[in-house]
Amino acid sequence: VSSRCGASGEMKSSTRASRSQKRKAQDAGIESSKADSPAPGSAERAALKAGEAYSPLSRLTVQSKLTELEGAVAELRLRCEASRPNLVECVKAAHAALQAMTPLVKGLDDGAVTVEASGLLSAESLERQATKAKELLSKTSKHKIGKSAKDNLAAMPQLVDALECPRFFCSPDNKYKKFVDSAQALGQETCRRAADAIQKIAVADPEGSKRVVRTAVATPTNETNDAKKPPMVPSATNGGMVDKMWAVLDRHFNPRENKVQRAVANALIALDEHEFIIGELTKKSSAYIANADTLDFRQNDTKSDKKLLTHGVVDVSFPDDRTVEKMRRWARHIGELGRHYGEHSDILVEAGATQALQTALAVSTRYFAYERLGDREDGEYPNESQKIGHFNPGTVHEVWEQCRPRSLVELDKDVCSSICVLLGSGGTDDEKKARRAKMARAGAHDALVRMLDLPQPDVRDALNLNMKRPQGNLALVHEVTRRAADAVCKMATDNETVKELILKPVGKGEPNGVSALKILLERRDNKVQRAAAGALIALDEHRRLVAMINETRAKIVHLNPEDKNLFAQLKQSVRTLAELAKDTPSTQPQPEEQENKMVDQVVSADAVEAIVPLLTLAKDIGEDRGPGIGDIEKEACYAIGLLASKENHQNRIADAGALPGLVALLKRYPPQMSGNVAPSVARRAADAVTNLAHENNPIKNRVRTEGGIPPLVALLETRDAKVQRAAASALRTLAFKNNENKEQIVEEGALPMLIFMVRSGDPHIHYEAVGVIGNLVHSSNHIKRRVLDEGALQPVIGLLSSECNESRREAALLLGQFATTTDDTNIEYKIKIVQRGAVQPLIQMLNHTESQLREMAAFALGRLAQNKDNQVGICHADGLRPLLDLLDSDETNLQHNAAFALYGLADNEDNVPDIIREGTVQRLMGGELKAQPSKDCVNKTLKRLEEKVDGRVLKYLVYLMRSSNKDEQQRIAVALAHLCSDDQQRVIFDEQGGLDILLEMYSASAGALFPSAMKDAAGALFKVSQNMKTLLSARYPSDAVPLPATPETHLADEHFNNPELSDIVFFSDRDGGWEFHAHKIAFTHVSDEFHQLIDQHKVADTQQGDSRIPVRVDMSDVMQKDEFHGLMRFVYQGNILVEEELTEENDENGGAPLAQRLLQFAHRYEMNGLKRHCEFCMEQILTDMEDQKCDPKCVFLRESISLAGRCNADDLIRACALHALQHHEQICKSIGDSETVLLAQQIEPHIRQHLQSTMYRLRVKKDECQLINGVSTDNVF
C-alpha cells in the first residue's frame, strides 16, 4: 500500500546523487507534475519520507497509532453530532483521523509492521472505524462554519493541507483491502469537505480569505545564467496555499473523485482566483503582442542594426520558455474551473475568459511560431547561420534565443482545450446556447478559424534529420487544429447566429471556417479528419453539399453534359460528402448510439437519394459525352460504401436502386480493360457491394438475382491487384451463410482462380482468397470435396507460414473445416493434412501473441486430433505444452478449443505417458474454465485418462516414476493418485515408493518457492488417504470400527448435580462462586491420578468421621466452572455438549472450545475415555468449520496440532493432518507460503505414519487371505 501526494513536484536532477534521491521519492509514492516547479529540498524530504515508510512499526508504536485513531474518530463523532456543528472543526478532526491511518496503511504493505505488532490489528475493526469516519463526515455537507472570522482564517492553512488527499493502493487479495479502500474514501471525503469549508469561509469573508491564501512565497532566481538554459523568471505573487489548491485540481482523479475537483473548483472561484489568472493571462498576452508590433516597426528602421536581445540573457518583455509555461498553466486552469459546472463556465465567460484565451491564441501567430517550428532541438541555441529561413536580426524572430516555437504551439493547444471546455460544459441547452453565442460575439470564432488554417511543419528533409522531431511537430500542429475544430463544432451546434459568423471570412484574404475545415479533411490524421467532419456537419455543410449535388447533376443532365467545370464541381462535392460520412474510429470508447453518428446525419440529409442516381449518370447523358464520368462514378461508389457501413442504412440504399447501378458498373468494366479510371470504378463498386451485403441476407439474395455474382467472378482474373482483392472480398461476403450464393459462385468457375490467388505472394490477395474458400466450404461437404479435388490443400497449408497473420488465421480455420467432416470419403484428408506438414506451423501458431491465431490453430489441431495416427504425430511435434498453456487463457474460445484438442490426444495410449509426464492432470484439475462445455470436455479427458492408465501404460508410468528426473517423478505420482484404482494405489505408493515422492514434495523446504507443487502434493496425499480408508472399510469392515472407549460407570440424568444422596461436593470461589453435588460411586472407574487430585484438594472438616456430611473439594485453582461441568457430564452421562461456535472473538475463556481445554485435563489425569471423546469432538469442530473463512479455522488447526502433540492424541493429530491436506489452499492464503511450509513439515511425520500403517494393514490382510485360499500374490498391474 503506497501513498501518493499529488501536490509534489517533479525533480530535475543533474547529479547521480540527486537522481538516486528522485528514485527514492518515486518509491515513496511522490508523484511528479510538470505544471509545478518543486521547492528546494523536496528531493531530500521525499527520500526522508521513504526512509520513514520502511522503518519498523513496533507493537508500542502500533498501539499508539490505534489509540490516536480511536481518539480522532471519537473526536470526529463529537464534532459532527454536536448541537451546533462547525464544519471547520469536523474537517480538522477527520484530517487527524486520516493522518493516524496513513502510517498503518503504509506499514501493512511494506512490511514495516512487525509480526508482534500485527496481532493488534484487526481488518474488520480498522474498516469499521474508517467507514464510520467517512459516514460522519459525509453528513456535514450542510453544516455551517464558525461565526468567528479570525478562527476561520486561522484554520485556512490546515484546511489547505487537508486537500492533499493521499492515494492508497493494495493488491486485490490483501485481507486489509477493505480497510485500505475505506481509508481512501475517507481521504477523498476529507478533501471534499475541506474545499467546502474554504468556499464558505471565502463567501463569509472575501477579503480576509484572499489575503490569507495569497501569502507571497519567495521563489529563488538563478543567479548564474546558464548558456544552455534561460534563467528562471520570478514567479507571480500568488501564495503557496493557492498553488496547493491548483495542484489538487491538476491531479488525474478517478471518475469517482470528480466530486473532489468540483469542490476545489468552487473554492477557487469563491476566492476569485479565476479573475486573477484571467487578468494575468490577458496582461502577458497583450504585452507580448504589443512588443512584437514594436519589433516589426523597428525592422524598417535602418538605424537599428544591432540585436535587441543578448544571447543567454532573458528579456522579460518578450516570451520565454518559463513564462510561456506559466501561461499554459493559467489556460489549463481556466478549463479545469469550467469543466464541472455550467455555472462555472458562465462565471468565467463573464469575467473575460474568452477575451483572455483568444488573446493568448494570437501570440504564437504574431511571433511566427508555426513557421519556425522545428528550427532547433530542445535546449539548443543556434547562431545566425544555423537558422532556417532568411530573417533579419532585430525582429520577432530573435525571440527564439529565449523561447522555443514549440512552447507557444503547446500554449495554443491548451488554450483550444479550455475553449472547448467552456463551450461544452454542463447546463441546459438554452444556457449552453447563450454561452456559445456570447463567446462568439466576443470574437472567439475568429481566433479558432485562424487556428484551422495553420502552416504545416516542413517534413521533407525528415529522412536527413532526426525522424522524431519533424513527426512530433506535425503531430503537435494536428493536435492544435483538432482541438480548434472541436471547439468550432461545439460553438456552431444548433446556433444559427454562430454559423453565420463562422461562414464569413475572418479577414481580407483569409478563408472562412468552412474552407479551412475542408482543407483539414485532406490531412493524414484520423483525429483531425474526424474533428473537421464534425465541425462541418455542425455547420450544415452536408445539407449544402446534398443540395449542390442535386443541382449540379440537373445542370449536367438537362443543360450542359460536356461542361468540365460542372463535372469537377460534382466530383468534389461527392468526395467531400463521402469524407463527412467516413467517421474514423474514435480512440475513446463510445456509446452504441454515438458510433457512426456522422453517417446518420449525412443520411438524414437525403444523401442516399442524391448519390445513387449518379451511378446511372453515364446512361442518362450518354457514355461518350461525359469528360469525367468515371471519376464521378468512382466517388459515388465510394460514398455508397461508406453510407452502407451501418446496417440500418443498407436497405434504404438498396431500395433507392443502388444494386442495379452497381451491377451495371461491374459489367461495364470487364477485367481486360486498362487505364486508371476503369479499374478504380470496378474496385469501388465491388467495395460498395461488400458493405451493402454485410450480414444482410436479403441484400445478398438481391445481388444474386440482379446478376452481380458473374461479373464479380470475372473480376478475379483482372490484372489489377486491388480490383482482384475487392472482387474476392465481395464474393466472400456474398458466400457467408448463403447456400444459393455458394452454389452459383462455384458453378461460375471461381474455384480455380481462387486457388491460384491463394498461391499469390501478395498477402492481401491470398488473405481474401482463402477467406472466400472458407465461407464456401462451411457446412457444405460437396463443395469441400470439390475444393480439395481442385488441389487447394497444399496452397492452404503453405499459408500457415505466411508473414500475414490474417492469412495464417484463415488458413488454420480452413484446415480445421477440411478436417471436420461426416463424409467417410474425406477422412483421408485428415491424414494428408498432417503428412503434408501442417502440424508444425500450427503448433508454432499456438505460441503466437495474437489470440485469434492461437484460437484457430487450436481449432485445427483439435479436429486433426480425432484421428489415431494424427494424435501421436501432434504429441511428437511438441504440441502438448502449448495446448496446456491455452487453458490458462482468459478467453472462452481459446480454452474450449484447447480442451477439445487435449481430449482427442488422450484417446491414444501411446500419448498417455507423455501427457501425464507433462503435468496435464494437475493443470486440468486446477484450471479455471469459464464455459460449461469446456469443463465437460476436461472432465471427459480425465475420465479417458483414467481408463487408459492400466496394464502396459501403468507399468511404464511406474517405471518412469522410479527412474526419471525429479520433476517428472512428482508429476507422475500426483497423476497416479487421481487416476489409479484403490488396489493399484496401494501397490504404487506402498511398494513402489510413490508415498515418499509425495511426502517429500509436500514438506520440502523449497515449498514456499513452488506453492503449486505443494498444493498438488497435498491434494494427492488426501486423495490417497481417502482411497485407502475406503478400501479398508470396504474389504475389512471390522478394522474400520474404532476401538471401544474405556468402560465407565454412568448414572442417570436425575443424579447430575443433585444434592440428594450426594456424598462429595466440588466448589470454587472463581466465576462468581459455584458448587457441584456429586456421588463417589460415579468415580469408580476414574484413574488414580484423579483420585489423588481429589485427596489433594479436600477441605479439612471439623466433624471428621461423620459420613453423613459430604466431602468438600476446592477446585478454585484447578478448573473453571464450564470445564468442571463438562467433565462431570462425561463422568455421569458419557459425553460432553459442544454447543459453541469458533469465532475470532470467543467468550471470556480465551477463545478455546471446551473439548480443547478438557483434553489437557484428561491427558494430565489419564482419563482415556474423556481423552478420546475430546479428540472426537475437536475433529467434529474441524468438520463443522469447513464453510467458515480461513482465519479462525487456521488458528484452531494450529493450536489443535500443538495440543495433540503435547497430549499424545494420535487420532486428533491424524485428523488435523488430513484436514490440512484437504484445505491446503485456504490455509496457504491465510497464513502465507512460508508458514504453510513449516506446518507441512510439522504434520508430515504423522501423515507418513498414518498412510504407512493403513497400507501395511491392507497388505498384511491381503497376504493372509491369499495364504488361506492358496492363491499367490496378484499383480495389480
Side-chain angles (χ1 to χ4, degrees):
V1 184
S2 61
S3 173
R4 296 183 179 179
C5 178
S8 300
E10 178 185 4
M11 283 300 302
K12 295 185 177 180
S13 55
S14 57
T15 64
R16 180 176 301 177
S18 61
R19 286 195 299 268
S20 175
Q21 291 171 347
K22 180 179 178 181
R23 287 194 298 271
K24 292 181 179 179
Q26 293 175 345
D27 293 339
I30 308 298
E31 285 186 339
S32 61
S33 172
K34 294 184 179 179
D36 293 319
S37 179
S42 59
E44 289 78 5
R45 288 198 297 270
L48 182 60
K49 287 184 180 180
E52 293 175 353
Y54 288 94
S55 60
L57 296 178
S58 64
R59 182 183 180 90
L60 183 62
T61 305
V62 170
Q63 183 63 53
S64 173
K65 292 296 179 183
L66 290 175
T67 304
E68 181 182 349
L69 176 59
E70 292 176 358
V73 174
E75 179 69 15
L76 176 61
R77 183 196 297 272
L78 181 66
R79 297 292 184 183
C80 293
E81 296 178 353
S83 57
R84 300 181 64 181
N86 186 337
L87 178 60
V88 175
E89 298 300 326
C90 294
V91 172
K92 291 165 65 176
H95 189 219
L98 185 64
Q99 287 180 320
M101 290 181 190
T102 300
L104 296 176
V105 174
K106 293 161 61 178
L108 288 170
D109 181 69
D110 56 28
V113 178
T114 61
V115 177
E116 181 185 10
S118 62
L120 299 174
L121 299 177
S122 170
E124 290 76 9
S125 177
L126 291 172
E127 179 195 356
R128 284 196 299 270
Q129 289 182 329
T131 304
K132 184 62 178 177
K134 193 262 183 183
E135 292 176 352
L136 290 170
L137 192 60
S138 63
K139 297 177 181 179
T140 62
S141 58
K142 296 183 180 179
H143 289 186
K144 298 180 180 179
I145 59 175
K147 294 183 178 180
S148 173
K150 181 178 180 181
D151 293 342
N152 292 335
L153 295 178
M156 288 284 279
Q158 189 171 352
L159 293 175
V160 173
D161 289 339
L163 295 176
E164 299 181 5
C165 172
R167 290 191 176 183
F168 303 130
F169 302 93
C170 73
S171 58
D173 56 347
N174 193 317
K175 68 177 183 179
Y176 292 97
K177 185 177 189 308
K178 291 184 178 180
F179 163 58
V180 174
D181 293 341
S182 300
Q184 182 68 66
L186 174 62
Q188 295 166 10
E189 192 67 22
T190 303
C191 181
R192 181 184 177 190
R193 298 309 168 195
D196 290 342
I198 294 173
Q199 178 198 9
K200 293 179 179 180
I201 294 173
V203 172
D205 188 358
E207 297 302 325
S209 59
K210 294 176 188 176
R211 183 177 63 255
V212 171
V213 300
R214 291 182 181 175
T215 303
V217 176
T219 304
T221 58
N222 195 353
E223 298 295 339
T224 60
N225 289 333
D226 191 350
K228 295 185 178 180
K229 184 168 61 177
M232 183 181 295
V233 178
S235 65
T237 59
N238 211 9
M241 284 191 281
V242 173
D243 289 341
K244 288 185 178 180
M245 298 177 70
W246 284 121
V248 174
L249 203 64
D250 287 338
R251 285 175 61 179
H252 297 288
F253 283 88
N254 295 326
R256 65 178 182 176
E257 297 173 323
N258 282 337
K259 294 180 180 179
V260 176
Q261 287 185 309
R262 293 176 185 175
V264 174
N266 287 334
L268 287 167
I269 289 181
L271 291 168
D272 291 337
E273 276 301 302
H274 62 291
E275 296 182 355
F276 172 80
I277 59 175
I278 289 173
E280 289 295 315
L281 183 60
T282 303
K283 181 172 67 175
K284 283 291 182 185
S285 301
S286 301
Y288 289 157
I289 293 173
N291 292 334
D293 295 338
T294 303
L295 283 177
D296 281 349
F297 174 76
R298 292 184 180 182
Q299 179 182 2
N300 299 325
D301 187 1
T302 57
K303 297 181 181 180
S304 181
D305 296 332
K306 62 180 181 179
K307 297 182 181 179
L308 296 179
L309 300 178
T310 306
H311 180 71
V313 178
V314 172
D315 189 337
V316 295
S317 301
F318 303 99
D320 64 275
D321 288 334
R322 300 294 176 86
T323 308
V324 172
E325 179 64 25
K326 296 179 72 67
M327 294 173 67
R328 290 184 60 196
R329 291 177 57 198
W330 292 331
R332 287 199 303 270
H333 289 162
I334 292 174
E336 290 297 332
L337 288 177
R339 185 180 304 279
H340 303 288
Y341 289 112
E343 181 182 354
H344 289 178
S345 295
D346 294 333
I347 293 173
L348 292 169
V349 172
E350 289 292 338
T354 306
Q355 292 84 347
L357 293 172
Q358 71 183 46
T359 305
L361 282 178
V363 175
S364 60
T365 55
R366 193 64 192 83
Y367 282 87
F368 302 98
Y370 292 92
E371 288 82 354
R372 298 299 305 275
L373 188 62
D375 280 7
R376 64 179 177 87
E377 297 283 356
D378 295 347
E380 177 187 352
Y381 289 84
N383 55 32
E384 280 299 311
S385 62
Q386 291 174 306
K387 292 185 178 181
I388 298 177
H390 302 283
F391 297 110
N392 296 323
T395 67
V396 293
H397 305 293
E398 283 300 323
V399 174
W400 308 134
E401 288 291 330
Q402 66 183 26
C403 180
R404 298 171 301 156
R406 188 180 179 89
S407 298
L408 292 178
V409 177
E410 290 174 341
L411 172 63
D412 287 347
K413 180 183 71 173
D414 294 330
V415 169
C416 290
S417 295
S418 296
I419 293 176
C420 283
V421 170
L422 297 180
L423 291 169
S425 59
T428 63
D429 292 339
D430 293 337
E431 291 173 348
K432 289 182 182 179
K433 187 175 180 180
R435 189 191 317 136
R436 292 166 180 173
K438 187 180 297 184
M439 294 180 67
R441 288 194 297 271
H445 68 286
D446 287 344
L448 292 173
V449 171
R450 288 191 175 94
M451 289 294 102
L452 299 176
D453 190 32
L454 297 174
Q456 298 294 293
D458 188 6
V459 296
R460 290 174 298 177
D461 296 332
L463 295 176
N464 300 327
L465 301 173
N466 184 3
M467 286 293 296
K468 295 182 179 179
R469 184 158 56 103
Q471 292 175 356
N473 293 333
L474 184 60
L476 180 60
V477 175
H478 284 167
E479 188 66 18
V480 174
T481 54
R482 180 186 68 82
R483 299 188 184 196
D486 287 338
V488 170
C489 178
K490 293 180 179 179
M491 184 179 292
T493 300
D494 299 329
N495 197 321
E496 299 299 328
T497 304
V498 176
K499 293 178 184 178
E500 293 177 0
L501 293 174
I502 295 176
L503 289 173
K504 296 179 181 178
V506 295
K508 186 176 181 181
E510 296 184 82
N512 61 13
V514 173
S515 301
L517 289 169
K518 287 183 178 180
I519 295 175
L520 293 184
L521 287 177
E522 305 298 329
R523 296 278 174 86
R524 293 184 177 181
D525 187 281
N526 289 337
K527 294 180 180 179
V528 174
Q529 290 177 345
R530 183 184 180 89
L536 286 170
I537 289 177
L539 292 168
D540 294 332
E541 183 62 17
H542 59 301
R543 301 187 184 278
R544 286 190 289 271
L545 288 171
V546 169
M548 185 179 297
I549 290 171
N550 289 329
E551 181 182 353
T552 307
R553 179 183 177 279
K555 290 181 180 179
I556 292 175
V557 174
H558 301 293
L559 297 178
N560 193 353
E562 298 181 357
D563 190 342
K564 295 182 180 181
N565 293 330
L566 290 177
F567 278 92
Q569 182 181 354
L570 181 58
K571 173 188 173 183
Q572 185 59 41
S573 299
V574 177
R575 179 70 180 184
T576 304
L577 188 62
E579 290 297 328
L580 296 184
K582 195 173 182 179
D583 207 11
T584 54
S586 173
T587 57
Q588 301 295 331
Q590 297 286 335
E592 185 176 354
E593 61 273 8
Q594 294 294 330
E595 293 182 358
N596 294 335
K597 184 179 179 180
M598 296 181 186
V599 176
D600 295 334
Q601 292 174 317
V602 172
V603 172
S604 66
D606 297 332
V608 172
E609 289 73 16
I611 294 176
V612 168
L614 299 180
L615 298 176
T616 59
L617 183 60
K619 180 180 178 182
D620 295 337
I621 64 174
E623 297 184 9
D624 298 334
R625 301 180 65 185
I629 191 67
D631 293 337
I632 294 176
E633 292 171 341
K634 179 183 69 175
E635 298 299 339
C637 293
Y638 177 60
I640 289 174
L642 293 174
L643 297 178
S645 59
K646 293 194 72 172
E647 295 181 12
N648 55 337
H649 301 321
Q650 292 172 348
N651 293 330
R652 180 173 179 174
I653 296 172
D655 294 339
L659 289 177
L662 292 172
V663 172
L665 290 179
L666 293 173
K667 293 179 178 179
R668 281 178 52 200
Y669 299 99
Q672 59 270 20
M673 291 191 63
S674 60
N676 295 326
V677 176
S680 61
V681 174
R683 175 169 62 91
R684 294 297 187 188
D687 290 339
V689 171
T690 302
N691 290 348
L692 275 173
H694 179 66
E695 295 185 358
N696 194 321
N697 213 46
I699 292 183
K700 294 178 184 179
N701 293 331
R702 293 178 64 176
V703 172
R704 184 182 70 253
T705 57
E706 292 288 345
I709 291 180
L712 286 172
V713 173
L715 287 178
L716 294 177
E717 300 182 4
T718 184
R719 290 172 292 179
D720 190 292
K722 294 181 179 180
V723 177
Q724 195 179 43
R725 185 172 69 244
S729 178
L731 291 173
R732 180 180 185 176
T733 301
L734 294 173
F736 183 68
K737 294 183 180 180
N738 192 301
N739 294 328
E740 292 81 1
N741 287 355
K742 291 180 184 180
E743 297 292 342
Q744 186 170 358
I745 292 172
V746 173
E747 293 301 326
E748 291 293 333
L751 289 181
M753 195 60 201
L754 288 172
I755 294 173
F756 294 157
M757 292 169 64
V758 170
R759 297 179 180 271
S760 172
D762 188 340
H764 298 95
I765 291 179
H766 59 61
Y767 164 69
E768 295 293 349
V770 74
V772 178
I773 296 175
N775 286 349
L776 288 174
V777 303
H778 181 68
S779 301
S780 181
N781 285 332
H782 73 280
I783 295 180
K784 184 186 304 182
R785 180 69 186 185
R786 189 166 175 179
V787 169
L788 292 171
D789 291 342
E790 292 284 350
L793 182 57
Q794 196 60 43
V796 173
I797 293 175
L799 285 185
L800 295 176
S801 303
S802 171
E803 296 180 357
C804 176
N805 290 335
E806 290 80 4
S807 298
R808 297 173 68 188
R809 182 186 69 237
E810 294 295 332
L813 174 60
L814 185 53
L815 289 176
Q817 292 175 330
F818 286 159
T820 305
T821 177
T822 59
D823 189 355
D824 294 338
T825 59
N826 287 344
I827 294 179
E828 61 186 40
Y829 281 100
K830 290 184 180 180
I831 302 175
K832 288 184 178 181
I833 291 173
V834 175
Q835 291 175 342
R836 298 191 182 192
V839 171
Q840 197 61 44
L842 285 173
I843 292 175
Q844 292 176 359
M845 289 168 62
L846 292 177
N847 298 314
H848 201 275
T849 56
E850 187 176 334
S851 62
Q852 290 185 343
L853 272 180
R854 301 198 302 271
E855 178 185 346
M856 291 300 104
F859 169 77
L861 289 172
R863 271 60 190 172
L864 293 173
Q866 304 310 307
N867 178 271
K868 290 282 186 181
D869 295 326
N870 293 349
Q871 293 161 1
V872 179
I874 293 173
C875 273
H876 182 71
D878 297 330
L880 184 59
R881 183 174 298 178
L883 286 173
L884 288 173
D885 292 338
L886 293 186
L887 291 178
D888 300 330
S889 172
D890 294 332
E891 300 182 27
T892 304
N893 291 338
L894 272 177
Q895 289 182 344
H896 184 69
N897 289 341
F900 185 74
L902 291 170
Y903 174 72
L905 297 180
D907 189 38
N908 196 311
E909 289 186 354
D910 294 336
N911 288 340
V912 172
D914 293 331
I915 291 175
I916 291 178
R917 291 167 65 182
E918 198 63 47
T920 304
V921 174
Q922 295 89 307
R923 300 186 69 170
L924 290 178
M925 297 179 65
E928 297 180 359
L929 303 177
K930 295 184 176 181
Q932 187 60 41
S934 302
K935 298 178 183 178
D936 296 339
C937 191
V938 165
N939 292 333
K940 291 179 181 179
T941 304
L942 291 172
K943 185 65 176 177
R944 177 173 282 183
L945 288 173
E946 185 177 346
E947 295 171 354
K948 300 292 182 181
V949 176
D950 198 1
R952 175 175 59 88
V953 175
L954 182 55
K955 289 181 179 179
Y956 182 56
L957 287 171
V958 172
Y959 167 77
L960 290 175
M961 188 182 70
R962 296 195 306 259
S963 59
S964 57
N965 62 63
K966 188 174 182 180
D967 292 338
E968 289 187 357
Q969 287 180 353
Q970 293 176 352
R971 297 192 195 109
I972 294 171
V974 171
L976 294 180
H978 294 284
L979 299 178
C980 292
S981 64
D982 298 345
D983 267 340
Q984 292 171 343
Q985 284 188 2
R986 185 193 63 76
V987 176
I988 292 169
F989 294 100
D990 182 24
E991 302 176 8
Q992 303 296 333
L995 181 60
D996 294 334
I997 295 174
L998 291 181
L999 289 171
E1000 180 185 3
M1001 185 179 175
Y1002 177 64
S1003 61
S1005 301
L1009 301 177
F1010 305 100
S1012 60
M1014 192 176 182
K1015 182 186 73 172
D1016 294 338
L1021 287 169
F1022 181 75
K1023 180 71 173 177
V1024 171
S1025 67
Q1026 293 300 104
N1027 290 344
M1028 295 301 101
K1029 178 181 178 181
T1030 303
L1031 183 61
L1032 184 65
S1033 61
R1035 294 190 177 178
Y1036 317 107
S1038 59
D1039 288 353
V1041 178
L1043 296 176
T1046 303
E1048 306 286 355
T1049 300
H1050 302 308
L1051 300 182
D1053 292 344
E1054 59 267 18
H1055 297 294
F1056 184 78
N1057 198 12
N1058 189 347
E1060 185 178 354
L1061 301 178
S1062 174
D1063 53 4
I1064 184 169
V1065 177
F1066 297 90
F1067 70 94
S1068 174
D1069 297 333
R1070 299 171 57 186
D1071 302 331
W1074 54 270
E1075 287 185 350
F1076 188 91
H1077 300 275
H1079 307 80
K1080 293 181 180 179
I1081 192 173
F1083 303 103
T1084 304
H1085 295 284
V1086 176
S1087 64
D1088 295 339
E1089 284 76 7
F1090 186 78
H1091 285 288
Q1092 293 176 7
L1093 172 68
I1094 294 176
D1095 294 338
Q1096 292 173 2
H1097 292 81
K1098 278 184 181 181
V1099 177
D1101 193 359
T1102 57
Q1103 300 180 358
Q1104 295 182 0
D1106 189 352
S1107 60
R1108 294 174 299 174
I1109 300 176
V1111 177
R1112 297 182 61 83
V1113 182
D1114 187 0
M1115 304 296 290
S1116 301
D1117 298 331
V1118 180
M1119 302 181 73
Q1120 298 179 3
K1121 180 180 179 179
D1122 62 331
E1123 295 173 353
F1124 187 79
H1125 275 249
L1127 171 64
M1128 291 299 102
R1129 190 170 297 279
F1130 179 80
V1131 170
Y1132 275 80
Q1133 301 173 358
N1135 61 6
I1136 58 176
L1137 298 179
V1138 184
E1139 300 177 350
E1140 56 182 332
E1141 295 181 357
L1142 187 67
T1143 59
E1144 286 188 3
E1145 299 178 0
N1146 213 312
D1147 55 12
E1148 66 276 4
N1149 296 318
L1154 179 60
Q1156 187 175 0
R1157 288 176 278 142
L1158 285 178
L1159 178 62
Q1160 304 177 60
F1161 186 88
H1163 174 68
R1164 184 182 310 137
Y1165 297 103
E1166 298 184 1
M1167 302 178 68
N1168 296 327
L1170 177 61
K1171 181 177 179 181
R1172 282 192 290 271
H1173 193 77
C1174 290
E1175 290 183 64
F1176 174 78
C1177 291
M1178 293 179 68
E1179 292 177 22
Q1180 190 62 39
I1181 292 175
L1182 277 175
T1183 304
D1184 295 340
M1185 289 167 51
E1186 290 183 0
D1187 295 333
Q1188 295 186 15
K1189 297 298 181 182
C1190 298
D1191 290 346
K1193 178 164 60 178
C1194 291
V1195 172
F1196 179 74
L1197 177 65
R1198 301 178 78 177
E1199 291 177 352
S1200 299
I1201 293 174
S1202 177
L1203 177 62
R1206 296 195 304 269
C1207 298
N1208 297 326
D1210 295 335
D1211 291 340
L1212 177 59
I1213 201 168
R1214 173 190 55 78
C1216 292
L1218 294 179
H1219 188 86
L1221 293 177
Q1222 183 180 6
H1223 302 281
H1224 172 84
E1225 191 170 0
Q1226 297 178 7
I1227 294 173
C1228 189
K1229 287 182 179 180
S1230 176
I1231 65 177
D1233 295 333
S1234 300
E1235 292 294 325
T1236 305
V1237 172
L1238 296 178
L1239 177 63
Q1241 293 173 348
Q1242 181 181 358
I1243 65 176
E1244 184 267 340
H1246 305 285
I1247 299 173
R1248 181 187 297 274
Q1249 180 182 4
H1250 166 64
L1251 290 177
Q1252 285 180 345
S1253 63
T1254 304
M1255 293 178 183
Y1256 175 77
R1257 292 167 67 187
L1258 284 169
R1259 185 172 69 251
V1260 170
K1261 287 287 185 180
K1262 186 171 183 179
D1263 292 343
E1264 291 176 354
C1265 293
Q1266 289 172 347
L1267 289 175
I1268 293 172
N1269 297 328
V1271 182
S1272 61
T1273 303
D1274 298 341
N1275 187 346
V1276 297
F1277 298 158

